[in-house]
Amino acid sequence: MKADRYAVRRARALEAADAEGLAGILVSPGPDLAYLTGYTPFPLERLTLLVLSVGNDPTLVVPTLERPSAERTAGVALLTLRDWRDGRDDPYAIVAGMLAPGRYAITDRTWASHLLALERLAPDRSFAAAGEALPLLRAVKDPEEIERLRAAGSAADAAFADVIDLPFAGRSETELAAELDRLLLEHGHQRVDFTIVGSGPNGASGHHEPGERRIAAGDAVVMDFGGVRDDYCSDITRTVFVGEPTDEQREVYGIVRTAQQAAFEAVRPGVSAQDVDRAARAVITEAGYGDRFVHRTGHGIGLEIHEPPYIVEGNATPLEPGMTFSDEPGIYLEGRFGVRIEDQVVVTVQGAERLNEASRDLTIVA
C-alpha cells in the first residue's frame, strides 16, 4: 500500500479526534498502528509510539534498535522518525515533550506500564481509551480492505466446501478441527486463529473448545473457524448434521436461518446496529427460543476478528457504507445440540452484500 494512503488515514483519524475535542492520538503496536502506518512491530517493554497531535507533524517514536525496520515500512515514509537509545534517552520524556496540554486518545493495547509512565511525566495531560473515544477509527473499510476481506471469506468458504466431503462420524472434534486448520492454510490463509468444533451437546456451548468426543450419527456439528489472509480476517460458522436430522433439529435450523436472513435484510445505511440485532432476535423470540439466543448478533471484522461496530442491543451507531461485520444468530439447547450460521457482510449504498457464499442450506454429512 502506498505511503500516501496511510497519510490519508492519519489525517482522517486526527479529524475524528479533533471533532471529539481531543488534542491527538497515541498509537502503540497493534492493529491501529498497522492501519495508520503499515508498521507491525512486536509489542515490547521498549516504547514504540505513533504521536498524532493537532497542528504537529505525525511522529513515530521508536527504539534505535528498531529504526531500520521502521524505515523499511512504506507507510512510515511520510512520518517523522524519532529514535531513542537504551541507557541514554528517556522515551517517555521525549513523548511528553511532544504533547501540548489536553486530552489524548491512547490505543487500547498500550501496555499499562507505558501509560503510567506518561501520566507521571505529563500530569497536565489526560488520556482516554481510543476504543471508547474513537470506536469507529477502522470501522469503515476502503475498497481494497473490502476485497481483502472478501478474499479471506472466499478462502474460508472453500475450506468448508472441502471439509463436508470428509467423513465426520467416528472422528474426534480435535481431528476435525485439525482438518479445518489444514484446509484454511491450503486455501491461502497465512495463519489460523481458531477452529471451534462442537458436536452433539457440545454444540450448545457457543465457544466450545474441541475435545476428544467422538462425532456420532444424529449429531449436529457446529464449526466456527477463521484466520488471517493478507492481513485481514475470516470468520465463518456452519452447522451440519451427521445423517438425517430429527424434526426438531430441522425446525431449529430453519429458525436460525430465517433469523440470519432477517438480520441481513435489515442492514442498510442509517439503520442502527441494534436494529439489525433486533431483526434476528425477533424471529427467534417469536419461535419460542428467545432465551436460547444468548449472544449478540454480530461483531465488526477487519484487521481483528472482533472490532467495532458490535451488532448488539444498546448500540445505536448508524451503519455506514463500508462497515463490515458478522451476522451470526444461534440457538443453543443445553445438553442436546446447538445451531449457529455466520457470514460476514459489508454495508453498501443500497443495503448489504455477503462476504461469505458457502451454502446456508441444511447440510447432511457422513
Side-chain angles (χ1 to χ4, degrees), residues 268-297:
R268 58 184 182 277
V271 167
S272 72
Q274 67 182 357
D275 282 341
V276 177
D277 179 86
R278 289 169 179 173
R281 206 164 296 277
V283 172
I284 291 175
T285 299
E286 185 176 349
Y289 292 95
D291 63 342
R292 299 292 85 206
F293 180 13
V294 296
H295 56 74
R296 63 196 174 201
T297 295

Side-chain angles (χ1 to χ4, degrees), residues 76-337:
V76 176
L78 300 180
L79 287 169
T80 298
L81 265 180
R82 173 70 164 89
D83 66 301
W84 62 273
R85 183 166 298 181
D86 280 333
R88 186 190 70 183
D89 303 316
D90 182 345
Y92 306 105
I94 291 170
V95 173
M98 298 166 59
L99 305 180
R103 187 167 178 79
Y104 292 81
I106 188 164
T107 50
D108 295 10
R109 294 196 180 187
T110 304
W111 287 12
S113 57
H114 296 323
L115 175 57
L116 291 170
L118 283 174
E119 287 182 328
R120 284 195 300 269
L121 290 170
D124 55 347
R125 288 75 159 175
S126 61
F127 303 93
E132 294 181 6
L134 299 168
L136 302 181
L137 181 66
R138 294 184 278 115
V140 177
K141 273 58 177 183
D142 63 32
E144 180 179 325
E145 289 181 286
I146 292 168
E147 285 310 306
R148 290 192 189 191
L149 285 164
R150 195 185 307 279
S154 294
D157 290 347
F160 173 73
D162 285 350
V163 80
I164 60 175
D165 285 338
L166 300 175
F168 277 57
R171 288 185 180 227
S172 69
E173 293 170 342
T174 55
E175 288 170 347
L176 188 60
E179 295 283 13
L180 284 168
D181 286 1
R182 174 182 64 81
L183 290 167
L184 283 170
L185 294 172
E186 284 185 3
H187 286 288
H189 280 65
Q190 284 78 46
R191 185 179 80 230
V192 177
D193 282 345
F194 60 96
T195 44
I196 295 169
V197 177
S199 62
N202 292 338
S205 174
H207 282 171
H208 173 69
E209 199 65 34
E212 295 308 313
R213 182 185 186 277
R214 294 283 166 180
I215 299 168
D219 282 348
V221 182
V222 180
M223 297 178 290
D224 182 349
F225 54 96
V228 174
R229 183 187 185 280
D230 199 13
D231 297 329
Y232 282 77
C233 296
S234 67
D235 184 4
I236 183 174
T237 306
R238 291 293 185 268
T239 302
V240 300
F241 298 89
V242 184
E244 189 65 28
T246 66
D247 289 345
E248 182 186 30
Q249 287 172 330
R250 284 185 176 274
E251 177 190 27
V252 170
Y253 189 89
I255 294 165
V256 172
R257 184 173 178 187
T258 300
Q260 202 224 20
Q261 182 66 22
F264 175 74
E265 291 176 0
V267 176
R268 58 184 182 277
V271 167
S272 72
Q274 67 182 357
D275 282 341
V276 177
D277 179 86
R278 289 169 179 173
R281 206 164 296 277
V283 172
I284 291 175
T285 299
E286 185 176 349
Y289 292 95
D291 63 342
R292 299 292 85 206
F293 180 13
V294 296
H295 56 74
R296 63 196 174 201
T297 295
H299 57 81
I301 191 168
L303 290 168
E304 294 181 279
I305 292 287
H306 287 192
E307 60 182 46
Y310 295 103
I311 310 304
V312 64
E313 181 66 33
N315 185 2
T317 300
L319 301 181
E320 300 178 41
M323 286 183 172
T324 51
F325 49 84
S326 64
D327 173 6
E328 51 175 310
I331 292 175
Y332 308 93
L333 303 180
E334 188 173 352
R336 301 175 61 209
F337 69 93

